[in-house]
């Protein structure tokens, strides 16, 4: 009989260039295995997904299993634009990207999740964010007019009331601002030219909330727009892109210090050299990707080339060659070889060296059938079997309100799950079944542990 491994104690991979294959990881068992690998190895994990929805789903699962253990879980979101689109990403996306890229080189342990097309983007140099980040402390001397000019140069937009990342407002001696990379906006209260107080404030009410000592102001863009960078942009534009400069809206708007929509696809022109995400990763890193990585990569490259062909004849807005903006396939896989790598899938891998198939099974369908006399008959039978094994069972509901609804639904069947705070309390508890709140799309079935998600009971429509 083939050996099956447990997601609670995953196999380590340490050697650069070495590949391992993890199979039979159904439901949320992959996230459980990755969380335990990060804890066990003490190394940084980079998880590459096929798209952003998959990355977001895995982040929810990893946050659930990794809660209360201090494990940093980051995402580097996609711009949510297609190559060469003539509109820019939302400021909240840029904010999260800047925060992630700022923190990555400083981490030794944690998990980064990102889609493959994001990994293939060329990025600004590592020192760009550091060199353009300003720390504001209580008691600091601040010239309002100069600070306002600096904010506008960094890409911040002056508004009447601050609601979104990258905005600021000046009202007398009060400055409201929502820094990139921050989860909350701040209010600076100045006495003459001294920062007398720094407080968070509520976007909806615009009322101050909490006193703090300092804040970090990151740039509002992933590229600079100062005098030197504009000159560099114009020089490289003339050298690389053909056409009549008088007809180029991009060239002329940047020359005036304007950031036109879609300028992100000219990012390399603002720098002498670009980097890639690999340059930001901590030294001791493990790469995890799904089996379909090569297929998705080739599809992205093909679609990018098609869009380049579609837009490259635009005289007013000529576009850069794909290789200026994105890694080529051979470059990507050459960089991946520098790391220990784990290839994962739900199904079982054929037995061979480097293969580790795990002991998870496909989570059972326990759908509530209101047409039957006992709508929860499938769940009753499953819990009865679980009690005989014995097997610990945890229900996961998306919100506290749905948890209460589920508890009421289970009462007539004399099923009384104990409410727990999360995964780690469940592992330590002997009481079963139990219930907690966690936005899991999929459950989990191991020999001694079961997680039942809402989708197993109600179907995918409730999620």
């Amino acid at each position: 009989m083939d050996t099956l491994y447990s997601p609670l104690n995953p196999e380590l991979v340490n050697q650069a260039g070495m590949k391992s294959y993890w199979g039979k990881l159904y439901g949320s068992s992959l996230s459980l295995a990755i969380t335990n690998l990060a804890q066990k190895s003490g190394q940084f994990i980079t998880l590459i997904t096929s798209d952003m929805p998959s990355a977001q789903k895995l982040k929810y699962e990893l946050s659930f299993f990794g809660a209360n253990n201090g494990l940093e879980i980051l995402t580097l979101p996609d711009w949510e634009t297609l190559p060469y689109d003539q509109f820019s990403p939302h400021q909240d996306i840029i904010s999260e990207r800047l925060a992630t890229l700022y923190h990555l080189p400083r981490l030794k342990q944690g998990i980064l999740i990102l889609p493959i097309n994001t990994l293939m983007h060329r990025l600004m140099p590592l020192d760009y964010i550091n060199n353009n980040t300003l720390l504001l402390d209580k008691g600091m001397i601040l010239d309002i007019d100069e600070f306002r000019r600096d904010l506008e140069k960094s890409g911040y937009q002056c508004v009447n009331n601050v609601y979104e990342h990258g905005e600021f407002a000046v009202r007398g001696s009060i400055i409201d601002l929502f820094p990139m990379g921050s989860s909350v906006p701040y209010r600076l209260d100045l006495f003459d030219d001294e920062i007398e107080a720094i407080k968070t404030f509520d976007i909806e009410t615009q009322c101050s909330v909490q006193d703090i000592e300092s804040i970090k102001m990151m740039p509002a863009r992933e590229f600079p727009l100062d005098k030197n960078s504009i000159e560099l942009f114009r020089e490289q534009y003339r050298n690389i892109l053909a056409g009549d400069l008088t007809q180029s809206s991009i060239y002329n708007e940047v020359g005036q210090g304007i950031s036109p929509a879609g300028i992100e696809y000219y990012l390399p022109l603002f720098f002498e050299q670009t980097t890639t995400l690999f340059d930001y990763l901590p030294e001791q890193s493990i790469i995890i990707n799904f089996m379909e990585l090569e297929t998705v990569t080739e599809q992205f490259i093909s679609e990018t080339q098609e869009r380049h062909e579609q837009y490259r004849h635009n005289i007013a807005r000529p576009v850069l060659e794909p290789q200026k903006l994105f890694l080529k396939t051979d470059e990507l896989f050459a960089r991946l070889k520098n790391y220990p790598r784990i290839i994962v899938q739900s199904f079982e891998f054929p037995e061979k060296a480097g293969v580790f198939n795990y002991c998870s099974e496909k989570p059972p369908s326990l759908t509530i059938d209101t047409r039957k006399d006992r709508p929860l008959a499938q769940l009753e039978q499953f819990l009865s079997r679980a009690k005989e094994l014995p097997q610990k069972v945890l229900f996961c509901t998306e919100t506290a309100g749905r948890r209460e609804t589920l508890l009421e639904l289970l009462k007539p069947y004399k099923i009384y799950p104990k409410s727990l705070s999360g995964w780690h309390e469940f592992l330590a508890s002997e009481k079963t079944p139990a219930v907690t709140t966690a936005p899991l799309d999929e459950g989990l079935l191991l020999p001694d542990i079961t997680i039942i998600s809402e989708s197993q009971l109600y179907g995918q429509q409730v999620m």
Side-chain angles (χ1 to χ4, degrees), residues 97-145:
R97 286 171 59 90
L98 288 168
T100 295
L101 292 171
Y102 177 83
H103 285 106
L104 269 180
R106 295 164 169 78
L107 297 175
K108 292 184 178 179
Q109 187 179 14
I111 301 172
L112 170 68
I113 318 157
L114 76 163
I116 181 60
N117 57 338
T118 302
L119 176 61
M120 298 186 73
H121 276 254
R122 298 192 186 275
L123 303 172
M124 63 280 198
L126 272 73
D127 60 0
Y128 167 70
I129 301 177
N130 287 335
N131 292 346
N132 291 276
T133 294
L134 175 66
L135 295 177
L136 298 175
D137 299 310
K138 191 158 64 172
M140 179 178 174
I141 302 301
L142 190 72
D143 183 296
I144 291 183
D145 293 333

Side-chain angles (χ1 to χ4, degrees), residues 1-6 11 24 348 351 355-359:
M1 182 179 176
D2 294 340
T3 301
L4 293 179
Y5 299 84
S6 173
E11 291 302 302
K24 284 202 70 182
E348 186 173 357
E351 199 69 24
V355 164
F356 303 96
N357 288 309
Y358 285 81
C359 62

